Amino acid sequence: MKKEQCIELAHGAGGKSSRKLIEQVILAECKNPLLEPLADAAIIEWDKTRFALTTDSYVVSPLAFPGGSIGELAVNGTVNDLAVSGAKPLVILSSWILEAGLSMEVFQREVKAMARAAKASSVIIAGGDTKVVEHGKGDGLYITTTGYGLVEPGVNLGPHRVEVGDKILLSGPIGDHGITVLLARGEIELEATLKTDSRPLWPMIEPMIRLEPAAIKWMRDPTRGGLASVLNELAHDIGFGIMIEEELIPIRQEVRGACEILGLDPLHIASEGQFVAVVDQKKAVDFQKLLNDTPGGEEARIIGVISDKPSGKVVALSEYGGSRMVDMLIGDPLPRIC
Amino acid sequence: MQYVDEFRDSRLIKKTIEMIQQLADPTVHYRIMEVCGGHTFSIYRFGLHDLIPSNVELIHGPGCPVCVLPMGRIDEGLRIAEDPKVILTAFGDMMRVPGQTGSPLVLKAKGRDIRMVYSPLDSLKLAKEHPKKEVVFFAIGFETTAPATALTLLKAQEWGIKNFSVFCNHVLILPAIRAILDSPDMRLDGFIGPGHVSTVIGCRPYAFVAQNYKKPIVISGFEPLDILESILRILRQLKEKKSEVENQYGRVVLWEGNRTALKLLERVFELRSYFEWRGLGFIAQSALKIKKEFSYWDAELRFGTQGITLTDPKAAQCGEVLKGVLKPYQCKLFGRSCNPEHPVGALMVSSEGACAAYFHHVYQKTEV
């Protein structure tokens, strides 16, 4: 019997399957120079002004979790996609898909969360849409947000600018969001005081741009698929290798502990309030110091370097001389049994 | 983290590697099998294969429960899930394992009610919450996970939960080790013994490896220092021409094992006459069957499984890799038609499978 191909949850997990779905189905049909870089935002030039346009959907379960909820996440996620494109976030459109039977109180709570997050990022909610689907057809609520921002002068980001010797800078501890949501689902009884790291990134990225925009070459936020997936996408795009030093990557004890117990790799776990940047090697230390002096960037570290080999792959080095290849996430992270 | 960080101490690791280098005779080629998939995972996860001398070859054994499950059993489990009344539950490892027409995840995507659980007791809770459904737990694993299944069956009986059953695929490690030792193409010098299984069965049952087959076996933990120390101890025994059972994982494993867990196994399970292992074929008395007293909760009886036997795709060389005859990258399908996204063989599925561990973590030898 022939295996019938269908959409699986893995296609939405941000790893290899997601990338293939986008490249082989969407890009194949809708190819154009704006879409082709598959970046977090499309950069559109209009009358000597460059603006960034991005969109994202939020389908998180549960709707609220320690430190945040879907309404706030929908704003932060989209303003961060603009921020890592080097654009100051300005305007958000929000589209809500509500399931009949959703409590009005929950809806109001999430709208308030969205408004609060927008205010914190100095963006306005300029429009949107609401639709209601039948009960049982939509997990409470889904949100799609579209963001618009202006690219700062002097910013030129993209894999084409990355060179051997450039340094990889990470803004802080990874995996807080993914593990927080996993634990909030209540499927496993682990106690941790962990919160989501969902937060706007522009307050940390803006000072870097002010310092020297040309020395920043590429940026991404490691959401679904985690740090491993964004670095693999970069390695694939640039054709160079990426060497990271495992002990330099900040990971909270609670995240490490949960990953050890469940057999997950923290490098595959989503963050919602961190970014990873490739910067000119001569400026890397200055950028790290600047971030360390900026609120929220205290734990920023240079975690690795762009190398000439192995071509297109990410390798993690241990402090005692071992090495391992870091692959993209395949499907959702699934815990091991023993 | 306590009990983790101490065993990743770079100074001690470097020192142990030096001791291994001093002890390993450069004129000898050592072949050491790590029985447990957890060890295979750690060896590649921490790059330990890079650090030891090249004449100390680590061979991956049959200790990944997902990897040794034959395709026929997977198809039987998936056939049960075709019933719209059934909620099939399984551990995360199982979700991507391919049957003939797809994995549990593929079937789930097509609308079957298949759910991942973290423990069999979660599956029993699900049965309580859905009294109109039939909840079936797809049980896999060695002696490590079998006691939890046994406990769940006892609870099902105690609580009188009628809409729950277990599709039992629990296997035993000792017959597998014996089958490997009896295999004519096998030349091994020693074993890194399974840590998790031994927390249940203890160290005593491995005596036949040392006494009858004259091979050293060191029960090992899973951190880098654990594994390196176990290699060191095996080399030391070989140098002194000894073959003994040693317990490196003493902080967790007791010589006599866990008596409570062993009693649970005895209470609920009996030995099957034969069970099919992927790559190793049928092995006598190598798996557990639910005892008659608990037959009400035996999914094989409730759903009338047929004992399907399916051969693996011809080109896949899972058996040879499982027995350590081939390295993962020497299989004809490795990295080509068999990869973690579309695994042909089960060794490419679980992170404990030798092929997946190799594919994910070893970059030098995977350029195919």
Side-chain angles (χ1 to χ4, degrees):
Chain A
M1 209 186 301
K2 193 174 176 259
K3 283 182 198 171
E4 191 190 327
Q5 278 198 314
C6 61
I7 296 291
E8 293 171 37
L9 284 168
H11 287 118
K16 239 178 205 175
S17 306
S18 304
R19 176 85 182 191
K20 275 195 178 164
L21 183 82
I22 292 164
E23 280 180 357
Q24 294 175 358
V25 183
I26 301 175
L27 194 58
E29 295 297 330
C30 310
K31 201 167 177 174
N32 68 68
L34 283 178
L35 179 63
E36 218 165 340
L38 296 179
D40 281 320
I43 308 295
I44 303 165
E45 197 159 344
W46 184 267
D47 197 19
K48 291 181 186 168
T49 301
R50 287 182 302 157
F51 63 90
L53 200 55
T54 187
T55 191
D56 214 335
S57 295
Y58 297 84
V59 295
V60 63
S61 171
L63 297 173
F65 35 82
S69 65
I70 189 168
E72 175 194 43
L73 196 65
V75 169
N76 285 346
T78 293
V79 300
N80 288 348
D81 281 345
L82 295 170
V84 295
S85 306
K88 181 179 171 59
L90 295 174
V91 175
I92 293 273
L93 303 176
S94 68
S95 212
W96 299 72
I97 294 177
L98 309 170
E99 183 185 343
L102 175 75
S103 123
M104 187 60 80
E105 197 185 324
V106 170
F107 179 51
Q108 283 172 335
R109 182 191 75 197
E110 292 313 318
V111 173
K112 276 184 187 166
M114 177 174 275
R116 210 168 39 239
K119 197 176 171 192
S121 277
S122 306
V123 294
I124 57 163
I125 310 286
D129 183 38
T130 53
K131 292 278 190 298
V132 179
V133 294
E134 281 175 46
H135 183 73
K137 292 197 171 170
D139 267 347
L141 66 89
Y142 301 141
I143 306 175
T144 298
T145 43
T146 300
Y148 166 92
L150 278 178
V151 180
E152 291 286 308
V155 169
N156 179 15
L157 302 176
H160 62 284
R161 291 202 52 224
V162 174
E163 294 169 286
V164 171
D166 287 344
K167 300 285 188 189
I168 297 154
L169 184 62
L170 175 65
S171 62
I174 56 166
D176 290 10
H177 177 76
I179 295 295
T180 300
V181 172
L182 186 71
L183 297 183
R185 283 187 195 141
E187 292 165 357
I188 34 174
E189 288 166 15
L190 286 180
E191 285 196 24
T193 51
L194 210 57
K195 306 191 291 189
T196 175
D197 59 356
S198 173
R199 58 176 179 167
L201 292 171
W202 185 246
M204 283 190 288
I205 291 174
E206 190 180 22
M208 285 177 61
I209 292 174
R210 298 274 167 266
L211 181 67
E212 194 167 339
I216 311 167
K217 301 188 172 185
W218 174 95
M219 275 194 285
R220 285 290 297 275
D221 50 344
T223 54
R224 289 170 316 154
L227 185 62
S229 291
V230 294
L231 290 180
N232 266 285
E233 285 187 9
L234 175 64
H236 170 269
D237 291 346
I238 59 182
F240 299 130
I242 295 178
M243 290 280 183
I244 53 174
E245 291 187 51
E246 282 213 87
E247 80 270 26
L248 298 181
I249 300 171
I251 302 170
R252 288 189 209 288
Q253 285 284 49
E254 293 97 322
V255 172
R256 276 185 66 201
C259 285
E260 285 295 332
I261 289 168
L262 298 171
L264 304 174
D265 187 341
L267 299 184
H268 285 146
I269 308 294
S271 303
E272 283 290 342
Q274 305 299 346
F275 67 92
V276 55
V278 175
V279 297
D280 190 310
Q281 56 179 316
K282 292 185 200 119
K283 278 283 163 190
V285 174
D286 294 345
F287 280 132
Q288 186 197 318
K289 281 183 184 160
L290 178 69
L291 278 178
N292 293 156
D293 292 338
T294 306
E298 296 84 356
E299 293 175 76
R301 297 277 178 281
I302 296 165
I303 59 161
V305 66
I306 306 293
S307 55
D308 52 356
K309 59 181 182 183
S311 162
K313 296 197 189 304
V314 181
V315 173
L317 305 173
S318 69
E319 58 185 312
Y320 39 85
S323 62
R324 66 161 175 137
M325 196 173 84
V326 177
D327 204 359
M328 273 178 110
L329 179 66
I330 308 281
D332 272 318
L334 295 175
R336 304 204 319 262
I337 62 168
C338 68
Chain B
M1 275 176 291
Q2 210 183 357
Y3 302 121
V4 172
D5 290 341
E6 301 93 316
F7 296 91
R8 295 183 186 179
D9 181 311
S10 64
R11 196 181 49 85
L12 287 173
I13 286 172
K14 282 176 186 163
K15 200 174 167 193
T16 312
I17 293 163
E18 276 172 26
M19 288 163 79
I20 289 175
Q21 282 163 343
Q22 283 164 12
L23 202 59
D25 179 346
T27 64
V28 178
H29 187 89
Y30 301 93
R31 291 165 62 89
I32 297 171
M33 174 174 276
E34 82 273 2
V35 174
C36 178
H39 289 139
T40 310
F41 174 79
S42 287
I43 285 163
Y44 293 127
R45 163 73 179 77
F46 298 105
L48 304 183
H49 59 291
D50 270 354
L51 305 174
I52 57 174
S54 57
N55 59 323
V56 180
E57 185 186 354
L58 296 176
I59 294 162
H60 325 303
C64 162
V66 166
C67 306
V68 293
L69 191 66
M71 202 182 259
R73 297 293 292 187
I74 298 158
D75 274 15
E76 301 252 34
L78 294 181
R79 200 178 58 81
I80 293 172
E82 293 280 356
D83 184 338
K85 267 187 79 181
V86 166
I87 301 175
L88 184 75
T89 62
F91 290 135
D93 298 47
M94 270 303 299
M95 300 301 277
R96 272 196 292 265
V97 184
Q100 208 176 198
T101 54
S103 65
L105 271 183
V106 169
L107 224 66
K108 185 180 169 69
K110 289 180 180 170
R112 303 285 173 254
D113 199 343
I114 300 178
R115 306 188 192 187
M116 187 183 80
V117 288
Y118 295 89
S119 116
L121 277 171
D122 292 343
S123 184
L124 191 61
K125 278 184 205 157
L126 209 60
K128 259 178 134 176
E129 289 160 12
H130 297 84
K132 289 184 181 163
K133 290 276 191 177
E134 281 287 331
V135 176
V136 181
F137 177 60
F138 196 137
I140 61 161
F142 288 88
E143 291 91 333
T144 323
T145 52
T149 306
L151 184 69
T152 306
L153 283 164
L154 279 168
K155 290 287 175 200
Q157 188 187 50
E158 189 187 323
W159 297 340
I161 297 180
K162 302 287 187 189
N163 62 327
F164 173 78
S165 58
V166 170
F167 181 42
C168 181
N169 293 282
H170 286 298
V171 285
L172 303 172
I173 198 70
L174 299 174
I177 295 180
R178 199 185 292 272
I180 282 179
L181 282 164
D182 286 336
S183 173
D185 47 6
M186 180 48 51
R187 296 179 315 280
L188 287 172
D189 298 302
F191 289 91
I192 298 174
H196 291 142
V197 164
S198 307
T199 59
V200 175
I201 67 171
C203 303
R204 196 180 293 282
Y206 300 102
F208 75 98
V209 179
Q211 285 164 15
N212 303 1
Y213 293 87
K214 305 288 175 210
K215 307 286 181 196
I217 178 164
V218 179
I219 313 305
S220 175
F222 296 85
E223 295 303 325
L225 202 53
D226 288 320
I227 295 172
L228 292 170
E229 192 196 334
S230 298
I231 294 170
L232 186 70
R233 288 195 190 193
I234 291 168
L235 293 176
R236 200 172 280 148
Q237 283 200 41
L238 290 171
K239 189 172 184 183
E240 292 168 6
K241 299 200 186 315
K242 282 183 184 170
S243 58
E244 290 172 358
V245 183
E246 281 189 66
N247 184 11
Q248 183 278 336
Y249 204 21
R251 65 185 185 278
V252 175
V253 173
L254 301 175
W255 195 259
E256 298 296 337
N258 180 333
R259 287 186 185 173
T260 310
L262 288 168
K263 272 186 191 158
L264 271 175
L265 295 182
E266 205 177 311
R267 170 100 174 77
V268 174
F269 296 118
E270 60 191 22
L271 286 176
R272 288 179 194 265
S273 315
Y274 282 94
F275 193 75
E276 188 190 1
W277 290 58
R278 185 179 283 225
L280 299 176
F282 285 88
I283 305 178
Q285 301 192 320
S286 65
L288 297 174
K289 184 177 180 305
I290 297 170
K291 272 186 178 171
K292 267 194 187 149
E293 189 190 335
F294 298 90
S295 59
Y296 185 87
W297 293 273
D298 188 340
E300 282 183 49
L301 299 174
R302 191 176 293 190
F303 294 91
T305 51
Q306 294 153 359
I308 304 170
T309 299
L310 293 169
T311 46
D312 280 329
K314 266 186 188 168
Q317 293 170 294
C318 304
E320 282 83 350
V321 176
L322 267 175
K323 287 186 285 184
V325 178
L326 286 184
K327 291 282 182 198
Y329 63 92
Q330 290 170 326
C331 170
K332 287 174 215 155
L333 303 189
F334 181 83
R336 295 182 175 91
S337 56
C338 186
N339 57 61
E341 263 179 295
H342 299 288
V344 177
L347 277 76
M348 195 52 102
V349 179
S350 165
S351 51
E352 294 185 3
C355 295
Y358 232 94
F359 189 96
H360 284 304
H361 295 316
V362 185
Y363 71 92
Q364 296 97 326
K365 289 168 187 159
T366 53
E367 304 286 352
V368 289

